[in-house]
Structures are given as structure tokens and as C-alpha cells.
Amino acid sequence: MRNTDIEKASEALWKNALPHLSVDCVVFGYHQGSFNVLLAKMKGDNGWILPGGYIQKTESIDDAAKRILFERSGAEKVFLEVFGVFGEPNRSQDYFVEYDDNLWHKMRFVTIGYYAVIDQSQVTPVPDMFSDACEWMPVYELPEMVMDHKQIIEKALEKLRDQLYHKPIGYNLLPEIFTLPQLQALYEKIMNQKFNRGNFYRKIMKENILIKQGEAKTGGAHKAPHLYKFDPAIYTK
Amino acid sequence: MRNTDIEKASEALWKNALPHLSVDCVVFGYHQGSFNVLLAKMKGDNGWILPGGYIQKTESIDDAAKRILFERSGAEKVFLEVFGVFGEPNRSQDYFVEYDDNLWHKMRFVTIGYYAVIDQSQVTPVPDMFSDACEWMPVYELPEMVMDHKQIIEKALEKLRDQLYHKPIGYNLLPEIFTLPQLQALYEKIMNQKFNRGNFYRKIMKENILIKQGEAKTGGAHKAPHLYKFDPAIYTK
């Protein structure tokens, strides 16, 4: 696509959107022990960004977040939730060099942060017309990012860690029935630290979010591991 | 103050503020068993509103929230935290009758919800120039409110309840040293239900947020109640 087409498309977007407001989506993905975040790379920019965009004048902010994530990355049916708002007046200063409230691409933006945690095998990222790339990148080895997007990811990670022992975060990330070592591997990735198995077991059982299932059948000499699933009552609460 | 002065002051505020964006503060207050929320009443309006206002072009959103709460209510040094963003396109429709993005007082606003929980004896509400009244009102007997402000309070209450057993919410609301019956009374008010004493005791102890203190001295026949304080390690985490 030629640059003039991109400019025209941008102008059409701006004309129908609320000024000064944007949405950025932090989508964490987990699959087979790998913990990632969905990032995009705009044409002509060096750094990576979160999939983000603007709120149409007639659109709710939740609908805008869903639409933006889909348009930027191809990800559908992702449950997104607000986790923070980023509104330092100088948050784009290094990026824009100079503010100008009369020019859309130089005005101050307050961005609403949405986050989600998904099994990344369910999403094949697709770059949109404004992006060169859209990819899963490792949370603990982020590439160079523009503006405050790295801090936005850190804040989302903080929120995720805060909820880890109180909400069934693993519900969308593990098979329906899983072993405690599988759950421990997920939690270790999200917390970025190793746990003592006994301590982890006691801590997670104390939260009452798991239901014990029948034991896995085994013909061998070793005892089969116990199987668990998340308590659906907690999930729907 | 005459209406023309109010109009002039409003225009000055609008000129320097970000359009389409507002901040609303849900400040819950607790004192001696009474659970309230801080509300204001605008001159010329029938319903009550949350203390709210606009973000100055050069101001961070956190600073705007602090300033707005102080200007509207006189409340200072309140720790405010974002708990949600309210951005349904029609959230002010009943109030404005008709939208007009060229008129400040009729344009669509997305509002950022901040909340706080304080000992209300520390705050004496003072109405500002735009308000007829600023008062503590009982959370479970709210007066008629404008727009979606009642739903915003409900959402803040949901957030507060969600954190009640995981964070030392009572830290600012109870004396430094307290009894479990005192803590139970606070939790019952916030959850709006009565608890069985034994169940409450077990649930709260399981969270490891309390430290047991020496027993209160007593000369009578009854056993003195145990005294507790919140674990400062949890509070600063």
C-alpha cells in the first residue's frame, strides 16, 4: 500500500474519533511454557508498540478495544478488561518531540490500558495496513518499544500477578484437567521465579480455586499425579 | 456568586482542559459504624453527583483527580486510585438530551473513575463555587443521582469488595490496634451482610494480613478480647 493511501486512511480514522483518547491492548499469551505479549511494529517506526488505536465518536470504549485488537492483530473473542489509564502529559514527548493540540498526530493522548490473558495458540497475529509486523514477543525479553509502552506492559504484569492467587487466571491457559506441576510451571513463568513445590501446593490449595479430579491411570511403578480443574463457581463469580 | 461569574469560571476551565475527558472521584468514608460516600450537588441541578471535573492540558490525570477532589470537597491527602473507565457513548444522554461535540457542556465525555477509602472524620466537606452542597451520604441509601453516577459507585463498591480480603482496606478506617469484632463490623458494612463470627475469624486469619498484639488488660470476670493490627509488610507490598 502506498503512503498516500495510509495517510488518507489515517485522516478518515481521526475525523471520526475522539481526540486526546486512545486505547492500548496488552495481550499476554501462554503456550507450552512460553510466556509472551502481542506487539506490533508501525511502518516507518523503529520501535515496537502495543496494538492500539482510537475510539470512534459513536462507539463504547469496550467495543473500541475489541475492534482495535482485532484490526491490529487479527485476534478475536478475547476477553479484555481495563487495568489502568496512562495520562502523564509528557508520555509521548520523546516520540513527538513537540506537542501541538491542533495536529492529531502531535496532540497529547491519554490512553486506556486493556489487558487479556489467552492461550496464544488460538491467535495467529496478522499485521494491519499501518503495521509491518505483529508478533508474539517474550515478556522478559522485550524489544525496543516506543513511548511508555514498556511501562504499560509492566503495569499490566503487576495487575496479573496481583490477581494470580485469587482468580483462576490459568483457566484459559491450561487444559481443562491439569496437574499441579503444570500449574506451577505457568505460575513460575508469570511471577518470573521458581517456587518450592510444597509451598506452592499449600498456597494454591488455600485459595480454594481448584477441584481435585480422579487420579490418572497408570500401569507403571510410580504413583500417578493428581489431576485438578478450576472451580467453575470461582470463575463465574 | 452570580450566574455570570460561574459561566465565566466554567469557560476558563474548559479552555484549558482536554475535551471529551473527565475524572470522577468515589470517596468511601467510614466512621463509627457508618459507611458513606462523598457527594456534591451542582447549582441548578436536582440530582447529586460524584465530585468530578476536567483534566488540564498540562496536568497528569492523577494530579487532576487530587485537585478536583480538593476543589469540590475540601478533601486533601486522599490516596486515590483508578478503578475503572466509563465510556458508553450514551452515558449522558438523558442528562444532555442531545449531544453536540462543538459545545463543551453537551459533548460526549469518557470519565476516569478514581476511588479512595478514608476515615471520614478526617474530612469536612466544603462545597465549591459550582455546588450547593457537598456531603457524606449513606452508601446503601443513595439520593437521586445524575447520569450513570450511581452505577459508577456500584462499580467502585465491587472493586472495594473484591480487594477486601486481600488488602488491608481497614488500615485507614480503624484505630491502629483493634479487636476482631471491630474489624467484623467494618467488613459487614462494606459487604452489606452479617457474618458468622467463627467463619469470619477463620477467613480473615487465613489471609495473613493481621498481627496479634498483647491482650487488653482487664480486671473483670470476662476474658479480654484479643487485639490485632494490620501487618505493615502487607500494606507496603
Side-chain angles (χ1 to χ4, degrees):
Chain A
M1 184 168 281
R2 290 171 311 152
N3 276 343
T4 48
D5 292 336
I6 293 181
E7 276 164 27
K8 269 186 204 160
S10 296
E11 273 164 32
L13 271 180
W14 299 344
K15 208 180 134 193
N16 295 315
L18 295 178
H20 299 289
L21 257 179
S22 61
V23 164
D24 282 296
C25 303
V26 182
V27 180
F28 292 114
Y30 184 80
H31 190 60
Q32 294 180 339
S34 164
F35 182 44
N36 302 290
V37 61
L38 194 57
L39 299 182
K41 200 158 181 291
M42 301 288 272
K43 285 176 179 163
D45 270 351
N46 284 324
W48 291 75
I49 56 165
L50 291 164
Y54 308 116
I55 299 160
Q56 298 294 295
K57 283 178 179 168
T58 55
E59 184 181 46
S60 81
I61 53 170
D62 289 349
D63 287 344
K66 271 180 238 166
R67 176 186 54 75
I68 287 163
L69 181 62
F70 173 66
E71 286 175 0
R72 286 278 188 274
S73 73
E76 272 183 290
K77 291 176 191 162
V78 173
F79 178 72
L80 288 158
E81 204 178 345
V82 171
F83 72 93
V85 183
F86 302 85
E88 288 299 318
N90 63 350
R91 56 180 289 269
S92 317
Q93 205 137 48
D94 296 340
Y95 190 61
F96 289 151
V97 184
E98 213 176 335
Y99 278 94
D100 184 343
D101 275 350
N102 297 312
L103 294 174
W104 184 278
H105 57 287
K106 288 192 168 185
M107 66 173 64
R108 173 184 171 191
F109 276 92
V110 170
T111 201
I112 304 170
Y114 278 82
Y115 90 126
V117 187
I118 62 172
D119 176 348
Q120 77 180 55
S121 68
Q122 288 167 10
V123 172
T124 307
V126 182
D128 71 350
M129 66 178 291
F130 303 105
S131 316
D132 270 335
C134 183
E135 288 172 30
W136 289 106
M137 303 290 257
V139 171
Y140 301 119
E141 291 161 57
L142 292 177
E144 196 180 322
M145 299 194 66
V146 302
M147 302 200 294
D148 57 354
H149 284 204
K150 211 171 256 188
Q151 290 100 289
I152 294 176
I153 294 173
E154 278 162 18
K155 192 80 192 251
L157 188 56
E158 229 174 73
K159 173 84 172 193
L160 176 62
R161 288 173 173 173
D162 211 38
Q163 300 196 322
L164 195 55
Y165 285 96
H166 311 306
K167 298 200 173 175
I169 299 287
Y171 192 89
N172 293 318
L173 305 181
L174 292 177
E176 197 192 338
I177 311 278
F178 49 85
T179 65
L180 282 183
Q182 275 180 306
L183 187 66
Q184 182 173 344
L186 167 67
Y187 274 47
E188 286 180 342
K189 269 291 173 186
I190 291 176
M191 297 306 290
N192 201 23
Q193 62 185 80
K194 292 283 174 196
F195 302 132
N196 170 282
R197 190 171 162 172
N199 291 346
F200 175 75
Y201 181 94
R202 275 187 293 279
K203 192 163 180 187
I204 197 78
M205 293 321 280
K206 219 179 63 174
E207 295 298 331
N208 292 322
I209 58 176
L210 301 183
I211 298 177
K212 200 168 178 177
Q213 303 295 293
E215 281 179 38
K217 281 178 194 166
T218 176
H222 294 292
K223 199 172 169 247
H226 291 300
L227 296 173
Y228 295 86
K229 67 175 192 176
F230 286 104
D231 184 346
I234 300 283
Y235 183 67
T236 52
K237 203 175 75 174
Chain B
M1 182 166 284
R2 290 172 310 154
N3 275 342
T4 48
D5 292 335
I6 294 181
E7 274 164 29
K8 269 186 203 159
S10 296
E11 272 165 33
L13 272 181
W14 299 343
K15 208 180 135 191
N16 296 313
L18 295 178
H20 299 289
L21 257 177
S22 62
V23 164
D24 281 296
C25 303
V26 182
V27 181
F28 291 113
Y30 183 81
H31 189 60
Q32 294 181 337
S34 164
F35 183 44
N36 301 291
V37 61
L38 195 57
L39 299 183
K41 198 157 182 292
M42 301 291 271
K43 285 176 178 163
D45 269 352
N46 284 324
W48 291 76
I49 55 165
L50 291 164
Y54 308 116
I55 301 160
Q56 298 293 295
K57 283 178 180 167
T58 55
E59 184 181 45
S60 81
I61 52 170
D62 289 349
D63 287 346
K66 271 179 239 166
R67 176 185 55 75
I68 287 163
L69 181 61
F70 173 65
E71 287 175 1
R72 288 278 188 274
S73 73
E76 273 184 289
K77 290 176 192 162
V78 173
F79 178 73
L80 288 159
E81 203 178 346
V82 170
F83 72 91
V85 183
F86 302 85
E88 287 298 319
N90 63 350
R91 55 181 289 270
S92 316
Q93 205 136 46
D94 295 340
Y95 190 60
F96 291 150
V97 183
E98 211 175 337
Y99 278 96
D100 184 343
D101 275 350
N102 297 311
L103 293 174
W104 183 279
H105 59 286
K106 286 193 170 186
M107 66 174 61
R108 172 184 171 189
F109 277 92
V110 171
T111 201
I112 304 171
Y114 278 82
Y115 90 125
V117 187
I118 62 173
D119 176 348
Q120 79 181 53
S121 69
Q122 288 167 10
V123 172
T124 308
V126 181
D128 71 351
M129 68 179 289
F130 304 106
S131 315
D132 270 334
C134 182
E135 289 172 29
W136 289 107
M137 303 291 256
V139 172
Y140 302 119
E141 289 161 59
L142 291 176
E144 196 180 323
M145 300 195 65
V146 303
M147 299 198 299
D148 56 355
H149 284 204
K150 212 170 255 189
Q151 290 99 290
I152 294 175
I153 294 173
E154 278 162 19
K155 192 82 192 249
L157 188 56
E158 229 173 73
K159 173 85 171 193
L160 176 62
R161 289 173 173 173
D162 210 37
Q163 300 195 322
L164 195 55
Y165 285 97
H166 310 307
K167 298 200 173 176
I169 299 289
Y171 192 88
N172 294 319
L173 306 181
L174 292 178
E176 198 191 338
I177 311 277
F178 49 84
T179 65
L180 281 184
Q182 275 179 307
L183 188 66
Q184 183 174 344
L186 168 67
Y187 275 48
E188 285 179 343
K189 268 292 175 186
I190 292 176
M191 297 305 293
N192 201 23
Q193 61 185 80
K194 293 283 174 196
F195 302 132
N196 171 282
R197 192 171 162 171
N199 290 346
F200 175 74
Y201 181 93
R202 276 186 294 279
K203 192 164 181 185
I204 197 78
M205 295 320 280
K206 219 180 60 175
E207 295 298 331
N208 292 322
I209 57 175
L210 301 184
I211 298 177
K212 200 170 180 175
Q213 305 293 293
E215 280 179 37
K217 281 177 192 164
T218 176
H222 294 293
K223 199 174 168 246
H226 292 299
L227 296 173
Y228 294 86
K229 68 174 192 176
F230 286 105
D231 184 347
I234 300 283
Y235 183 66
T236 53
K237 204 175 74 173

mmCIF file of all heavy atoms in Angstrom, chain A residues 141-171:
data_model
loop_
_atom_site.group_PDB
_atom_site.id
_atom_site.type_symbol
_atom_site.label_atom_id
_atom_site.label_comp_id
_atom_site.label_asym_id
_atom_site.label_seq_id
_atom_site.Cartn_x
_atom_site.Cartn_y
_atom_site.Cartn_z
ATOM 1 N N GLU A 141 11.952 -10.571 27.525
ATOM 2 C CA GLU A 141 12.997 -10.118 26.589
ATOM 3 C C GLU A 141 12.334 -9.217 25.559
ATOM 4 O O GLU A 141 12.364 -9.496 24.350
ATOM 5 C CB GLU A 141 13.642 -11.305 25.873
ATOM 6 C CG GLU A 141 14.488 -12.192 26.768
ATOM 7 C CD GLU A 141 14.698 -13.557 26.116
ATOM 8 O OE1 GLU A 141 15.227 -13.611 24.980
ATOM 9 O OE2 GLU A 141 14.290 -14.559 26.735
ATOM 10 N N LEU A 142 11.754 -8.117 26.042
ATOM 11 C CA LEU A 142 11.032 -7.218 25.139
ATOM 12 C C LEU A 142 12.001 -6.488 24.209
ATOM 13 O O LEU A 142 13.108 -6.134 24.619
ATOM 14 C CB LEU A 142 10.236 -6.189 25.948
ATOM 15 C CG LEU A 142 9.063 -6.730 26.757
ATOM 16 C CD1 LEU A 142 8.430 -5.600 27.571
ATOM 17 C CD2 LEU A 142 8.024 -7.377 25.850
ATOM 18 N N PRO A 143 11.570 -6.243 22.979
ATOM 19 C CA PRO A 143 12.396 -5.450 22.072
ATOM 20 C C PRO A 143 12.301 -3.963 22.442
ATOM 21 O O PRO A 143 11.583 -3.601 23.372
ATOM 22 C CB PRO A 143 11.736 -5.708 20.715
ATOM 23 C CG PRO A 143 10.298 -5.917 21.043
ATOM 24 C CD PRO A 143 10.272 -6.613 22.388
ATOM 25 N N GLU A 144 12.991 -3.118 21.718
ATOM 26 C CA GLU A 144 12.881 -1.676 21.931
ATOM 27 C C GLU A 144 11.437 -1.247 21.645
ATOM 28 O O GLU A 144 10.862 -1.630 20.626
ATOM 29 C CB GLU A 144 13.837 -0.935 21.006
ATOM 30 C CG GLU A 144 14.069 0.500 21.431
ATOM 31 C CD GLU A 144 15.026 1.229 20.492
ATOM 32 O OE1 GLU A 144 15.992 0.596 20.028
ATOM 33 O OE2 GLU A 144 14.769 2.416 20.216
ATOM 34 N N MET A 145 10.851 -0.459 22.554
ATOM 35 C CA MET A 145 9.456 -0.042 22.375
ATOM 36 C C MET A 145 9.332 1.472 22.425
ATOM 37 O O MET A 145 10.137 2.143 23.068
ATOM 38 C CB MET A 145 8.582 -0.690 23.444
ATOM 39 C CG MET A 145 8.628 -2.212 23.351
ATOM 40 S SD MET A 145 7.324 -2.999 24.323
ATOM 41 C CE MET A 145 5.868 -2.453 23.434
ATOM 42 N N VAL A 146 8.278 1.998 21.780
ATOM 43 C CA VAL A 146 8.117 3.455 21.720
ATOM 44 C C VAL A 146 7.392 3.978 22.966
ATOM 45 O O VAL A 146 6.718 3.235 23.664
ATOM 46 C CB VAL A 146 7.337 3.899 20.457
ATOM 47 C CG1 VAL A 146 8.057 3.421 19.197
ATOM 48 C CG2 VAL A 146 5.916 3.405 20.499
ATOM 49 N N MET A 147 7.530 5.258 23.218
ATOM 50 C CA MET A 147 6.827 5.982 24.290
ATOM 51 C C MET A 147 6.920 5.216 25.617
ATOM 52 O O MET A 147 7.992 4.744 25.967
ATOM 53 C CB MET A 147 5.376 6.230 23.884
ATOM 54 C CG MET A 147 5.260 7.019 22.579
ATOM 55 S SD MET A 147 3.654 7.799 22.378
ATOM 56 C CE MET A 147 2.586 6.371 22.234
ATOM 57 N N ASP A 148 5.785 5.120 26.331
ATOM 58 C CA ASP A 148 5.773 4.451 27.634
ATOM 59 C C ASP A 148 5.204 3.035 27.552
ATOM 60 O O ASP A 148 4.732 2.499 28.544
ATOM 61 C CB ASP A 148 4.965 5.293 28.640
ATOM 62 C CG ASP A 148 3.538 5.559 28.155
ATOM 63 O OD1 ASP A 148 3.220 5.190 26.997
ATOM 64 O OD2 ASP A 148 2.746 6.138 28.912
ATOM 65 N N HIS A 149 5.259 2.445 26.350
ATOM 66 C CA HIS A 149 4.584 1.154 26.183
ATOM 67 C C HIS A 149 5.210 0.034 27.013
ATOM 68 O O HIS A 149 4.523 -0.890 27.420
ATOM 69 C CB HIS A 149 4.501 0.791 24.701
ATOM 70 C CG HIS A 149 3.442 1.571 23.981
ATOM 71 N ND1 HIS A 149 2.838 1.161 22.827
ATOM 72 C CD2 HIS A 149 2.845 2.748 24.302
ATOM 73 C CE1 HIS A 149 1.939 2.056 22.443
ATOM 74 N NE2 HIS A 149 1.937 3.033 23.316
ATOM 75 N N LYS A 150 6.518 0.132 27.284
ATOM 76 C CA LYS A 150 7.143 -0.878 28.145
ATOM 77 C C LYS A 150 6.594 -0.757 29.575
ATOM 78 O O LYS A 150 6.284 -1.759 30.209
ATOM 79 C CB LYS A 150 8.667 -0.704 28.120
ATOM 80 C CG LYS A 150 9.418 -2.011 28.302
ATOM 81 C CD LYS A 150 10.914 -1.866 28.057
ATOM 82 C CE LYS A 150 11.306 -2.449 26.706
ATOM 83 N NZ LYS A 150 12.774 -2.499 26.495
ATOM 84 N N GLN A 151 6.446 0.471 30.071
ATOM 85 C CA GLN A 151 5.881 0.667 31.414
ATOM 86 C C GLN A 151 4.418 0.203 31.476
ATOM 87 O O GLN A 151 3.966 -0.297 32.505
ATOM 88 C CB GLN A 151 5.920 2.140 31.845
ATOM 89 C CG GLN A 151 7.317 2.666 32.135
ATOM 90 C CD GLN A 151 7.876 3.462 30.968
ATOM 91 O OE1 GLN A 151 8.216 2.867 29.926
ATOM 92 N NE2 GLN A 151 7.975 4.768 31.112
ATOM 93 N N ILE A 152 3.699 0.381 30.381
ATOM 94 C CA ILE A 152 2.295 -0.066 30.352
ATOM 95 C C ILE A 152 2.240 -1.594 30.496
ATOM 96 O O ILE A 152 1.418 -2.135 31.240
ATOM 97 C CB ILE A 152 1.583 0.414 29.056
ATOM 98 C CG1 ILE A 152 1.471 1.954 29.072
ATOM 99 C CG2 ILE A 152 0.205 -0.233 28.918
ATOM 100 C CD1 ILE A 152 0.868 2.557 27.810
ATOM 101 N N ILE A 153 3.153 -2.287 29.817
ATOM 102 C CA ILE A 153 3.217 -3.753 29.944
ATOM 103 C C ILE A 153 3.579 -4.144 31.379
ATOM 104 O O ILE A 153 2.978 -5.063 31.955
ATOM 105 C CB ILE A 153 4.239 -4.347 28.948
ATOM 106 C CG1 ILE A 153 3.755 -4.139 27.509
ATOM 107 C CG2 ILE A 153 4.473 -5.834 29.224
ATOM 108 C CD1 ILE A 153 4.767 -4.535 26.442
ATOM 109 N N GLU A 154 4.535 -3.432 31.980
ATOM 110 C CA GLU A 154 4.929 -3.741 33.370
ATOM 111 C C GLU A 154 3.759 -3.579 34.330
ATOM 112 O O GLU A 154 3.564 -4.384 35.234
ATOM 113 C CB GLU A 154 6.090 -2.837 33.810
ATOM 114 C CG GLU A 154 7.440 -3.347 33.324
ATOM 115 C CD GLU A 154 8.524 -2.277 33.352
ATOM 116 O OE1 GLU A 154 8.339 -1.257 34.044
ATOM 117 O OE2 GLU A 154 9.548 -2.464 32.655
ATOM 118 N N LYS A 155 2.975 -2.536 34.111
ATOM 119 C CA LYS A 155 1.806 -2.293 34.962
ATOM 120 C C LYS A 155 0.765 -3.408 34.781
ATOM 121 O O LYS A 155 0.151 -3.850 35.754
ATOM 122 C CB LYS A 155 1.205 -0.934 34.582
ATOM 123 C CG LYS A 155 0.174 -0.413 35.538
ATOM 124 C CD LYS A 155 0.764 0.232 36.775
ATOM 125 C CE LYS A 155 -0.290 0.470 37.828
ATOM 126 N NZ LYS A 155 -0.648 1.856 38.025
ATOM 127 N N ALA A 156 0.597 -3.859 33.549
ATOM 128 C CA ALA A 156 -0.358 -4.947 33.293
ATOM 129 C C ALA A 156 0.124 -6.236 33.951
ATOM 130 O O ALA A 156 -0.668 -7.008 34.510
ATOM 131 C CB ALA A 156 -0.534 -5.148 31.786
ATOM 132 N N LEU A 157 1.427 -6.455 33.912
ATOM 133 C CA LEU A 157 2.011 -7.656 34.523
ATOM 134 C C LEU A 157 1.814 -7.618 36.037
ATOM 135 O O LEU A 157 1.499 -8.637 36.668
ATOM 136 C CB LEU A 157 3.503 -7.718 34.165
ATOM 137 C CG LEU A 157 4.271 -8.987 34.538
ATOM 138 C CD1 LEU A 157 3.627 -10.231 33.943
ATOM 139 C CD2 LEU A 157 5.727 -8.878 34.074
ATOM 140 N N GLU A 158 1.974 -6.440 36.624
ATOM 141 C CA GLU A 158 1.734 -6.240 38.053
ATOM 142 C C GLU A 158 0.297 -6.629 38.416
ATOM 143 O O GLU A 158 0.047 -7.325 39.391
ATOM 144 C CB GLU A 158 1.905 -4.747 38.359
ATOM 145 C CG GLU A 158 2.773 -4.397 39.529
ATOM 146 C CD GLU A 158 2.943 -2.883 39.600
ATOM 147 O OE1 GLU A 158 1.981 -2.188 39.972
ATOM 148 O OE2 GLU A 158 4.029 -2.389 39.239
ATOM 149 N N LYS A 159 -0.634 -6.155 37.605
ATOM 150 C CA LYS A 159 -2.058 -6.447 37.818
ATOM 151 C C LYS A 159 -2.312 -7.957 37.727
ATOM 152 O O LYS A 159 -3.017 -8.534 38.554
ATOM 153 C CB LYS A 159 -2.866 -5.691 36.763
ATOM 154 C CG LYS A 159 -4.335 -6.010 36.723
ATOM 155 C CD LYS A 159 -5.102 -5.210 37.740
ATOM 156 C CE LYS A 159 -6.591 -5.397 37.533
ATOM 157 N NZ LYS A 159 -7.375 -4.438 38.271
ATOM 158 N N LEU A 160 -1.724 -8.566 36.706
ATOM 159 C CA LEU A 160 -1.882 -10.006 36.500
ATOM 160 C C LEU A 160 -1.354 -10.769 37.709
ATOM 161 O O LEU A 160 -2.001 -11.698 38.224
ATOM 162 C CB LEU A 160 -1.127 -10.410 35.234
ATOM 163 C CG LEU A 160 -1.080 -11.885 34.875
ATOM 164 C CD1 LEU A 160 -2.488 -12.407 34.620
ATOM 165 C CD2 LEU A 160 -0.215 -12.104 33.633
ATOM 166 N N ARG A 161 -0.168 -10.391 38.198
ATOM 167 C CA ARG A 161 0.437 -11.064 39.356
ATOM 168 C C ARG A 161 -0.405 -10.867 40.607
ATOM 169 O O ARG A 161 -0.519 -11.766 41.439
ATOM 170 C CB ARG A 161 1.851 -10.520 39.584
ATOM 171 C CG ARG A 161 2.817 -10.986 38.521
ATOM 172 C CD ARG A 161 4.171 -10.293 38.658
ATOM 173 N NE ARG A 161 5.134 -10.865 37.736
ATOM 174 C CZ ARG A 161 6.359 -10.371 37.532
ATOM 175 N NH1 ARG A 161 6.745 -9.283 38.179
ATOM 176 N NH2 ARG A 161 7.166 -10.963 36.686
ATOM 177 N N ASP A 162 -0.989 -9.697 40.729
ATOM 178 C CA ASP A 162 -1.830 -9.363 41.871
ATOM 179 C C ASP A 162 -3.046 -10.279 41.946
ATOM 180 O O ASP A 162 -3.557 -10.579 43.019
ATOM 181 C CB ASP A 162 -2.290 -7.903 41.692
ATOM 182 C CG ASP A 162 -2.480 -7.205 43.022
ATOM 183 O OD1 ASP A 162 -1.685 -7.455 43.935
ATOM 184 O OD2 ASP A 162 -3.423 -6.401 43.127
ATOM 185 N N GLN A 163 -3.539 -10.680 40.791
ATOM 186 C CA GLN A 163 -4.777 -11.479 40.738
ATOM 187 C C GLN A 163 -4.504 -12.979 40.683
ATOM 188 O O GLN A 163 -5.422 -13.787 40.785
ATOM 189 C CB GLN A 163 -5.586 -11.079 39.500
ATOM 190 C CG GLN A 163 -5.976 -9.616 39.496
ATOM 191 C CD GLN A 163 -7.056 -9.331 38.503
ATOM 192 O OE1 GLN A 163 -7.080 -9.893 37.410
ATOM 193 N NE2 GLN A 163 -7.974 -8.455 38.855
ATOM 194 N N LEU A 164 -3.239 -13.345 40.549
ATOM 195 C CA LEU A 164 -2.882 -14.728 40.210
ATOM 196 C C LEU A 164 -3.396 -15.749 41.210
ATOM 197 O O LEU A 164 -3.841 -16.829 40.842
ATOM 198 C CB LEU A 164 -1.361 -14.819 40.075
ATOM 199 C CG LEU A 164 -0.795 -16.056 39.401
ATOM 200 C CD1 LEU A 164 -1.403 -16.254 38.030
ATOM 201 C CD2 LEU A 164 0.722 -15.933 39.293
ATOM 202 N N TYR A 165 -3.344 -15.420 42.512
ATOM 203 C CA TYR A 165 -3.762 -16.390 43.516
ATOM 204 C C TYR A 165 -5.228 -16.235 43.910
ATOM 205 O O TYR A 165 -5.738 -16.980 44.724
ATOM 206 C CB TYR A 165 -2.866 -16.287 44.754
ATOM 207 C CG TYR A 165 -1.506 -16.903 44.509
ATOM 208 C CD1 TYR A 165 -0.423 -16.122 44.131
ATOM 209 C CD2 TYR A 165 -1.338 -18.285 44.609
ATOM 210 C CE1 TYR A 165 0.816 -16.695 43.890
ATOM 211 C CE2 TYR A 165 -0.102 -18.869 44.364
ATOM 212 C CZ TYR A 165 0.975 -18.069 44.001
ATOM 213 O OH TYR A 165 2.182 -18.641 43.759
ATOM 214 N N HIS A 166 -5.892 -15.234 43.367
ATOM 215 C CA HIS A 166 -7.285 -15.002 43.757
ATOM 216 C C HIS A 166 -8.265 -15.300 42.633
ATOM 217 O O HIS A 166 -9.438 -15.476 42.864
ATOM 218 C CB HIS A 166 -7.481 -13.556 44.220
ATOM 219 C CG HIS A 166 -6.452 -13.136 45.210
ATOM 220 N ND1 HIS A 166 -6.208 -13.855 46.353
ATOM 221 C CD2 HIS A 166 -5.582 -12.095 45.232
ATOM 222 C CE1 HIS A 166 -5.236 -13.274 47.041
ATOM 223 N NE2 HIS A 166 -4.848 -12.207 46.374
ATOM 224 N N LYS A 167 -7.785 -15.286 41.406
ATOM 225 C CA LYS A 167 -8.671 -15.556 40.278
ATOM 226 C C LYS A 167 -8.092 -16.701 39.447
ATOM 227 O O LYS A 167 -6.887 -16.893 39.402
ATOM 228 C CB LYS A 167 -8.805 -14.290 39.420
ATOM 229 C CG LYS A 167 -9.430 -13.154 40.212
ATOM 230 C CD LYS A 167 -10.025 -12.083 39.335
ATOM 231 C CE LYS A 167 -10.769 -11.091 40.226
ATOM 232 N NZ LYS A 167 -11.280 -9.948 39.469
ATOM 233 N N PRO A 168 -8.952 -17.469 38.797
ATOM 234 C CA PRO A 168 -8.454 -18.627 38.038
ATOM 235 C C PRO A 168 -7.833 -18.195 36.713
ATOM 236 O O PRO A 168 -8.339 -18.498 35.640
ATOM 237 C CB PRO A 168 -9.710 -19.483 37.853
ATOM 238 C CG PRO A 168 -10.849 -18.537 37.940
ATOM 239 C CD PRO A 168 -10.416 -17.359 38.750
ATOM 240 N N ILE A 169 -6.703 -17.476 36.820
ATOM 241 C CA ILE A 169 -6.005 -16.956 35.644
ATOM 242 C C ILE A 169 -5.659 -18.085 34.659
ATOM 243 O O ILE A 169 -5.677 -17.895 33.453
ATOM 244 C CB ILE A 169 -4.683 -16.251 36.076
ATOM 245 C CG1 ILE A 169 -4.956 -15.072 37.006
ATOM 246 C CG2 ILE A 169 -3.846 -15.825 34.877
ATOM 247 C CD1 ILE A 169 -5.551 -13.858 36.363
ATOM 248 N N GLY A 170 -5.360 -19.270 35.218
ATOM 249 C CA GLY A 170 -4.946 -20.368 34.348
ATOM 250 C C GLY A 170 -6.069 -20.963 33.520
ATOM 251 O O GLY A 170 -5.821 -21.741 32.594
ATOM 252 N N TYR A 171 -7.300 -20.568 33.829
ATOM 253 C CA TYR A 171 -8.466 -21.187 33.193
ATOM 254 C C TYR A 171 -8.374 -21.211 31.669
ATOM 255 O O TYR A 171 -8.712 -22.203 31.033
ATOM 256 C CB TYR A 171 -9.731 -20.445 33.639
ATOM 257 C CG TYR A 171 -11.017 -21.136 33.301
ATOM 258 C CD1 TYR A 171 -11.585 -22.049 34.185
ATOM 259 C CD2 TYR A 171 -11.665 -20.879 32.100
ATOM 260 C CE1 TYR A 171 -12.778 -22.683 33.878
ATOM 261 C CE2 TYR A 171 -12.859 -21.517 31.790
ATOM 262 C CZ TYR A 171 -13.411 -22.419 32.679
ATOM 263 O OH TYR A 171 -14.585 -23.042 32.362
#
